[in-house]
């Protein structure tokens, strides 16, 4: 938002406040100033001149020989502007004058004629092409007849001003108007801004009801729509003072009608639109949503294909304007227009934002509608526009305002307390201090027994809750006046949670075992989301997925590790050891979703060279040993068991085990199904996945340490022939249960199922170690335990002791 310092002076007294001081007060008050431009500061030697004579320069097809009075002297000046003529008041750069770019004017001889200076154009004075009025684009700028010859020309060009540029946050759209900035200036300077009363002189012989009726399809889309009519208007150029204000705000002057609507928008923040009443071809204005693929030719000559998300102004049948964004070419005001219909409305911000974005039609008007408009100024804005058109265009104002109003402007009541204000800000303000600040903000208020009740006017629609009001009090009090204190609180030493400790420990163990951490994308295809999950559950699907491969949140980590392994394999990395600690997701209901922490690992390729120098292939026992190392770090109260899993999706039916803690499934370990490894261009691949949450939350036993045996122990070996279906885990459990109090260790040292072994059988050999920590173990005690083990194995599994 570009704000003219001189324009602000019309509302508040800036006699003793420089532009720099005002800008600093604005910034300290929370309305950040992004920059300042002092117009005309680098210019010198510019005076008002009057062209006395003008004639074509002999031998040239475009140069003119002029004589120009600059007060005490008359200067001969050669000028190439096509619009120069005798009798004009112009801007003259005398010899020695400095123009933008440090360009100095010197006496020159042109085609034999001496030129003592230059008649300047706005472009030569540093004005941007985007704001130069159309009539002054290709020639010199002509001043008003009342300009005094010989004096400094800069004030007549508005070059005695300073432009303050605000960097406004979206909630401060009230400062997108000069009146809003004036209220802000009044608050930071402790003044009350004054505004000229708008007096509209209407033609009582006419009534707006005879010309126009207003209706809207949906009051939520258009809560306020007002229209005034001005007849017998003569359209020409707007006055110089208005053009200056527009240009300083970055808006190009067009003609009287357009300039008035833009001027009123800048003053009130209320966008207006002017229609040629005769071209409406109707006495009705109907505001509705556009029909699908409805076409409107806008003022820029473009055919716009619309949709129901766009709001249009119609004459009851056809669209004549795109609400809040741009008018239609079929109702455009031209030089021949006689009767003006002025629109002042409030539209639903989201509709204007969508329309402007969809059609790439952003403007000063749409940017204000997008952020919100003051309901209280819709009538004042249209009244001022009608007044200016009547005064400057010689028209008459039809009596009354045609309108459709569903929502009236009203104050917002916000309550808080003095204690709350001081508690949030960190101050010690009393009732008088707060009352003074609220008065500076021009908020009506009462303070009773510590309770503050403030009536917030519609111009500050950003203030709705107590915290908003407290922020206003803080910024006007001055952020730099708030005492700097450190928070007073108990010192709490940081500590990791059990889950954080477990996660760190898992990473240490797996990385210590040679695995590298991977990070996978949580979004995947529905098939991969459930294929390797530990347990079944409803999938979490996205309503608006990015692609078909990213439709659902994953229920497993193994799928991501397989993708990572496939990527590594494609880049000639064959020996892969990866792990990941991340989250999986399950849908409980339409409104509830669960998230769990898992850890997973993947091994494929070869494990490395043996002591004989030969490469050893990975197998099921490699990954199972890794998982046992991981789980051994916990001291679970319940038994940890591995059970054959023949129907786990995506896993090898004979080389996969589910992992149970007591009766609870906590994960699995095994080999990928050959079909899956082939699809992913992998060799034999082994994976595991564990529910880290369940491992952390499981009951633990206290870890106890025992002294080393001071007495010698004794070992016994046993080899048995047993059915292939009997697992080592089952055998080990029976041995442990029957070995007696002195059995301390069970070691499997041989497994054979080849030749010379009966079909369906396997040979297993164990070494059992017995020891008594309190005395030397007797032979009969060892034999008793060993015999009990043999008999239990025979009774339970019908083994043959070899």
């Amino acid at each position: 938002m570009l704000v003219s310092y001189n324009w602000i002076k019309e509302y508040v007294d800036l006699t003793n406040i420089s532009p720099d001081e005002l800008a600093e007060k604005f910034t300290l008050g929370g309305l950040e100033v992004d920059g300042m431009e002092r117009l005309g500061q680098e210019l010198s030697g510019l005076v008002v001149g009057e062209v006395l004579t003008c004639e074509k320069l002999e031998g040239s097809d475009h140069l003119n020989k002029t004589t120009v009075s600059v007060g005490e002297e008359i200067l001969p000046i050669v000028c190439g502007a096509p619009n120069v003529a005798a009798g004009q008041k112009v801007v003259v750069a005398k010899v020695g004058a400095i123009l933008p770019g440090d360009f100095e004017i010197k006496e020159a001889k042109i085609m034999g004629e001496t030129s003592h200076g230059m008649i300047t154009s706005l472009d030569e004075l540093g004005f941007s092409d985007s704001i130069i009025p159309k009539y002054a684009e290709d020639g010199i700028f002509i001043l008003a007849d009342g300009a005094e010859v010989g004096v400094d020309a800069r004030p007549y060009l508005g070059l005695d001003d300073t432009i303050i540029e605000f960097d406004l946050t979206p909630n401060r759209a009230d400062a997108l108007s000069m009146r809003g900035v004036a209220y802000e200036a009044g608050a930071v300077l402790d003044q009350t801004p004054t505004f000229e009363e708008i007096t509209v002189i209407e033609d009582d012989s006419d009534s707006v009801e005879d010309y126009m009726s207003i209706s809207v399809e949906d009051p939520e889309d258009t809560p306020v729509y007002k229209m005034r009519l001005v007849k017998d208007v003569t359209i020409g150029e707007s006055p110089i003072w208005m053009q200056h204000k527009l240009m300083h705000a970055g808006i190009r002057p067009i003609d009287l009608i357009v300039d008035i609507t833009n001027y009123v928008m800048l003053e009130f923040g209320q966008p207006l639109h002017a229609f040629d009443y005769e071209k409406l071809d109707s006495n009705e204005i109907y505001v509705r949503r556009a029909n699908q693929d409805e076409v409107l030719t806008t003022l820029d000559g473009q055919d716009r294909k619309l949709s129901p998300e766009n709001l249009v102004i119609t004459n009851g049948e056809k669209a004549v304007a795109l609400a809040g964004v741009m008018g239609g070419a079929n109702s455009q005001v031209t030089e021949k227009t006689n009767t003006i219909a002025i629109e002042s409305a409030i539209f639903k911000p989201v509709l204007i934002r969508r329309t402007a974005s969809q059609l790439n039609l952003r403007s000063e008007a749409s940017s204000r509608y997008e952020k919100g408009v003051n309901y209280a100024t819709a009538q004042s804005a249209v009244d001022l526009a009608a007044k200016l058109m009547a005064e400057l265009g010689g028209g008459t104002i039809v009596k009354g305002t045609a309108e459709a109003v569903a929502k009236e402007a009203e104050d917002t009541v916000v309550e808080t307390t003095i204690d709350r204000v001081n508690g949030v800000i960190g101050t010690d303000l009393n009732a008088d201090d707060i009352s003074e600040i609220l008065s500076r903000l021009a908020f009506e208020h009462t303070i009773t027994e510590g309770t503050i009740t403030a009536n917030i006017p519609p111009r500050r629609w950003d203030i709705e809750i107590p915290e908003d009001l407290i922020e206003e009090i803080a910024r006007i009090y001055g952020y730099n006046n708030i005492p700097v204190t450190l928070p007073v609180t108990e010192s709490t030493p940081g500590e990791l949670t059990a889950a954080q400790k477990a996660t760190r420990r898992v990473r240490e163990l797996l990385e210590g075992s040679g695995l590298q951490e991977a990070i996978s994308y949580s979004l995947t295809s529905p098939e991969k989301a459930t294929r390797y999950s530990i347990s079944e559950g409803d999938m979490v699907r996205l309503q608006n997925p990015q692609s078909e491969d990213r439709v659902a949140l994953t229920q497993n980590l193994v799928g991501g590790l397989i993708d990572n392994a496939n990527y590594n394999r494609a880049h000639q990395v064959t020996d892969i050891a990866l792990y990941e600690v991340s989250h999986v997701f399950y849908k409980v209901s339409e409104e509830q979703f669960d998230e769990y922490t898992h850890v997973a690992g993947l091994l494929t390729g070869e494990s490395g060279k043996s002591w004989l120098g030969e490469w050893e292939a990975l197998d099921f026992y490699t990954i199972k040993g890794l998982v046992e190392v991981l789980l051994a770090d916990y001291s679970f109260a319940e038994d940890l068991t591995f059970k054959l899993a023949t129907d786990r999706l995506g896993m090898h039916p004979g080389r996969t085990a589910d992992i149970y803690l007591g009766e609870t499934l906590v994960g699995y370990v095994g080999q990928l199904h050959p079909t899956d490894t082939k699809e992913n261009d992998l060799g034999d691949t082994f994976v595991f996945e564990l529910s880290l949450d369940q491992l952390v939350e499981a009951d633990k036993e206290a870890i106890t340490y025992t002294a080393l045996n001071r007495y010698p122990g004794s070992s016994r070996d046993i080899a048995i022939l047993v059915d292939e279906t009997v697992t080592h885990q089952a055998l080990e459990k029976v041995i442990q249960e029957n070995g007696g109090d002195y059995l301390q260790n069970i070691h499997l040292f041989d497994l054979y199922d080849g030749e010379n072994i009966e079909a369906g059988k396997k040979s297993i050999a164990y070494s059992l170690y017995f020891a008594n920590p309190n005395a030397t173990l007797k032979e009969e005690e060892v034999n008793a335990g060993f015999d009990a083990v043999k008999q239990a194995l025979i009774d339970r599994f019908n083994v043959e002791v070899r």
Side-chain angles (χ1 to χ4, degrees):
M1 174 69 178
L2 302 177
V3 174
S4 162
Y5 174 82
N6 287 344
W7 198 345
I8 301 176
K9 286 198 299 186
E10 297 178 13
Y11 307 125
V12 293
D13 183 8
L14 301 180
T15 303
N16 299 316
I17 302 293
S18 69
D20 290 321
E21 293 170 332
L22 180 62
E24 183 179 3
K25 288 184 177 293
F26 276 137
T27 298
L28 292 176
L31 207 64
E32 184 180 353
V33 173
D34 195 40
M36 296 177 62
E37 181 182 5
R38 293 165 181 81
L39 303 180
Q41 187 179 39
E42 61 181 356
L43 305 179
S44 65
L46 300 178
V47 297
V48 177
E50 181 177 6
V51 181
L52 301 178
T53 64
C54 177
E55 58 185 44
K56 289 291 183 182
L57 183 62
E58 186 176 348
S60 174
D61 59 352
H62 69 283
L63 295 177
N64 298 287
K65 181 172 66 174
T66 67
T67 56
V68 183
S69 171
V70 292
E72 297 180 352
E73 56 182 329
I74 297 175
L75 303 176
I77 297 176
V78 176
C79 178
N83 62 334
V84 66
Q88 295 172 338
K89 298 289 182 64
V90 295
V91 179
V92 177
K94 299 171 66 176
V95 173
I98 302 297
L99 298 185
D102 202 26
F103 179 72
E104 182 180 354
I105 300 299
K106 299 179 179 179
E107 181 179 314
K109 203 171 189 68
I110 303 174
M111 297 187 69
E113 295 289 338
T114 302
S115 183
H116 291 267
M118 182 172 71
I119 304 175
T120 62
S121 65
L122 292 180
D123 178 57
E124 292 165 333
L125 294 174
F127 286 84
S128 170
D129 291 341
S130 62
I131 63 172
I132 295 176
K134 192 169 184 178
Y135 66 84
E137 279 183 325
D138 300 320
I140 59 172
F141 183 69
I142 302 169
L143 300 174
D145 291 339
E148 183 180 351
V149 175
V151 302
D152 188 351
R154 288 178 297 178
Y156 291 101
L157 298 167
L159 293 177
D160 58 343
D161 200 357
T162 297
I163 305 302
I164 301 173
E165 183 177 0
F166 288 109
D167 185 11
L168 299 177
T169 52
N171 66 309
R172 289 308 307 271
D174 61 292
L176 287 172
S177 69
M178 289 304 304
R179 292 200 177 204
V181 174
Y183 276 111
E184 187 67 21
V188 298
L189 298 175
D190 195 10
Q191 295 184 31
T192 301
T194 57
F195 305 103
E196 184 179 346
E197 184 178 353
I198 302 171
T199 303
V200 178
I201 301 175
E202 299 176 320
D203 181 2
D204 293 335
S205 64
D206 268 339
S207 176
V208 74
E209 287 81 5
D210 299 330
Y211 290 83
M212 188 62 63
S213 66
I214 308 294
S215 60
V216 300
E217 179 182 56
D218 187 347
E220 289 191 4
D221 291 346
T222 313
V224 176
Y225 194 95
K226 295 175 179 284
M227 183 168 279
R228 268 195 175 277
L229 267 69
V230 183
K231 302 189 305 180
D232 303 324
V233 176
T234 301
I235 300 176
E237 296 175 7
S238 58
I240 294 298
W241 63 266
M242 184 179 291
Q243 294 185 33
H244 288 167
K245 288 184 174 181
L246 294 177
M247 288 191 290
H248 291 173
I251 297 176
R252 180 181 189 175
I254 303 297
D255 59 41
L256 178 65
I257 304 303
V258 175
D259 291 355
I260 287 175
T261 59
N262 284 332
Y263 169 78
V264 174
M265 177 186 69
L266 291 175
E267 180 168 340
F268 286 96
Q270 170 65 57
L272 303 177
H273 183 67
F275 296 95
D276 185 328
Y277 173 76
E278 301 295 337
K279 291 181 181 179
L280 292 176
D281 294 331
S282 172
N283 291 344
E284 177 187 4
I285 287 291
Y286 179 57
V287 186
R288 61 167 171 81
R289 295 286 187 100
N291 300 319
Q292 185 63 45
D293 296 331
E294 183 175 1
V295 176
L296 172 67
T297 303
T298 48
L299 289 174
D300 57 2
Q302 298 293 317
D303 290 337
R304 308 287 180 178
K305 184 178 290 188
L306 309 180
S307 71
E309 285 194 337
N310 310 133
L311 198 62
V312 292
I313 314 300
T314 75
N315 65 354
E317 295 181 0
K318 64 181 180 181
V320 295
L322 199 54
V325 179
M326 185 175 285
N330 55 2
S331 60
Q332 181 178 4
V333 174
T334 66
E335 295 178 356
K336 297 180 180 180
T337 299
N338 182 264
T339 302
I340 305 294
I342 313 168
E343 169 197 275
S344 177
I346 308 292
F347 301 116
K348 190 175 182 178
V350 66
L351 293 179
I352 307 305
R353 180 169 63 252
R354 288 174 181 171
T355 298
S357 177
Q358 173 188 333
L359 301 178
N360 195 24
L361 275 177
R362 298 206 173 271
S363 63
E364 292 285 343
S366 67
S367 68
R368 285 167 171 79
Y369 275 127
E370 289 176 9
K371 298 176 179 65
V373 176
N374 182 4
Y375 278 74
T377 57
Q379 186 64 50
S380 300
V382 74
D383 286 346
L384 178 57
K387 176 185 177 183
L388 291 173
M389 289 182 191
E391 292 177 353
L392 302 176
T396 57
I397 303 173
V398 175
K399 184 179 181 180
T401 303
E403 62 182 26
V405 178
K407 181 179 179 180
E408 298 287 351
E410 56 184 19
D411 291 352
T412 300
V413 179
V414 178
E415 286 191 357
T416 188
T417 64
I418 295 176
D419 290 342
R420 176 66 175 156
V421 170
N422 287 321
V424 172
I425 302 176
T427 53
D428 191 23
L429 301 175
N430 57 37
D432 291 338
D433 298 329
I434 294 174
S435 180
E436 180 187 353
I437 290 173
L438 294 178
S439 297
R440 290 171 62 177
L441 288 164
F443 295 169
E444 293 183 5
H445 62 278
T446 59
I447 302 179
T448 307
E449 297 181 354
T451 298
I452 306 167
T453 303
N455 294 328
I456 311 301
R459 62 181 173 82
R460 289 302 305 275
W461 62 90
D462 59 306
I463 302 175
E464 299 179 330
I465 59 177
E467 286 71 17
D468 295 333
L469 184 62
I470 294 172
E471 182 183 3
E472 289 297 298
I473 294 172
R475 69 184 190 83
I476 299 303
Y477 174 70
Y479 294 127
N480 56 331
N481 294 324
I482 297 174
V484 178
T485 58
L486 293 174
V488 179
T489 183
E490 295 183 3
S491 177
T492 304
E495 183 179 5
L496 296 178
T497 65
Q500 291 171 328
K501 290 178 181 177
T503 301
R504 289 194 178 188
R505 181 59 178 160
V506 163
R507 286 192 167 97
E508 290 175 2
L509 291 171
L510 293 177
E511 289 172 8
S513 299
L515 278 69
Q516 293 181 313
E517 185 172 13
I519 298 176
S520 304
Y521 201 25
S522 295
L523 291 172
T524 185
S525 65
E527 181 184 6
K528 288 185 178 180
T530 59
R531 185 166 181 80
Y532 305 103
S533 57
I534 293 176
S535 57
E536 295 181 355
D538 290 339
M539 191 188 320
V540 181
R541 289 178 175 270
L542 298 188
Q543 291 182 345
N544 186 24
Q546 298 174 346
S547 67
E548 294 181 357
D549 294 334
R550 307 296 180 188
V551 173
L553 287 169
T554 187
Q555 294 181 350
N556 68 86
L557 304 184
V558 166
L561 292 178
I562 293 173
D563 290 341
N564 293 334
N566 180 273
Y567 179 85
N568 279 269
R569 189 65 178 263
H571 289 76
Q572 288 77 50
V573 179
T574 57
D575 299 329
I576 303 165
L578 301 174
Y579 82 92
E580 182 173 10
V581 179
S582 189
H583 303 284
V584 298
F585 308 86
Y586 287 84
K587 179 180 178 181
V588 179
S589 66
E590 292 299 328
E591 302 296 332
Q592 183 180 351
F593 306 93
D594 284 344
E595 179 178 345
Y596 304 103
T597 303
H598 282 196
V599 56
L602 178 146
L603 301 176
T604 186
E606 296 176 318
S607 62
K609 289 184 178 181
S610 70
W611 66 279
L612 295 173
E614 298 176 353
W615 286 96
E616 294 184 347
L618 296 168
D619 58 17
F620 170 80
Y621 297 104
T622 307
I623 192 86
K624 181 174 180 289
L626 183 65
V627 172
E628 288 177 333
V629 169
L630 188 63
L631 295 175
D633 200 58
Y634 298 88
S635 180
F636 295 116
E638 296 183 286
D639 290 336
L640 196 68
T641 58
F642 293 78
K643 296 183 180 179
L644 180 65
T646 59
D647 56 356
R648 181 165 291 282
L649 194 62
M651 301 298 295
H652 194 296
R655 299 177 185 175
T656 302
D658 284 341
I659 305 171
Y660 284 86
L661 185 59
E663 299 298 323
T664 304
L665 176 67
V666 296
Y668 65 88
V669 59
Q671 182 176 345
L672 283 185
H673 196 284
T675 302
D676 288 49
T677 55
K678 184 176 181 181
E679 287 179 355
N680 290 280
D681 193 26
L682 298 173
D684 289 347
T685 301
F686 304 88
V687 299
F688 75 86
E689 184 155 349
L690 297 167
S691 172
L692 199 55
D693 288 337
Q694 289 178 301
L695 299 182
V696 172
E697 294 169 4
D699 294 335
K700 310 293 193 306
E701 287 183 342
I703 298 175
T704 58
Y705 295 90
T706 57
L708 295 174
N709 289 335
R710 293 186 299 167
Y711 301 96
S714 180
S715 62
R716 295 286 189 275
D717 294 340
I718 181 172
I720 59 177
L721 195 64
V722 66
D723 291 341
E724 283 184 339
T725 56
V726 179
T727 64
H728 157 70
Q729 183 172 272
L731 293 170
E732 186 180 46
K733 184 178 180 181
V734 170
I735 294 172
Q736 186 68 56
E737 290 174 349
N738 294 275
D741 295 335
Y742 303 131
L743 178 60
Q744 291 194 352
N745 185 41
I746 303 169
H747 175 61
L748 170 65
F749 67 87
D750 185 58
L751 172 63
Y752 182 71
D753 59 358
E755 295 181 2
N756 302 319
I757 295 293
E758 183 181 345
K761 300 286 186 176
K762 60 183 176 182
S763 175
I764 299 181
Y766 292 96
S767 178
L768 310 182
Y769 181 76
F770 297 85
N772 184 347
N774 300 313
T776 300
L777 195 64
K778 298 178 181 179
E779 183 75 16
E780 55 268 23
E781 291 173 330
V782 175
N783 291 337
F786 185 62
D787 290 341
V789 168
K790 288 191 291 183
Q791 190 61 45
L793 291 174
I794 293 171
D795 294 342
R796 179 70 181 274
F797 301 112
N798 194 27
V799 306
E800 179 185 339
V801 179
R802 305 180 69 189

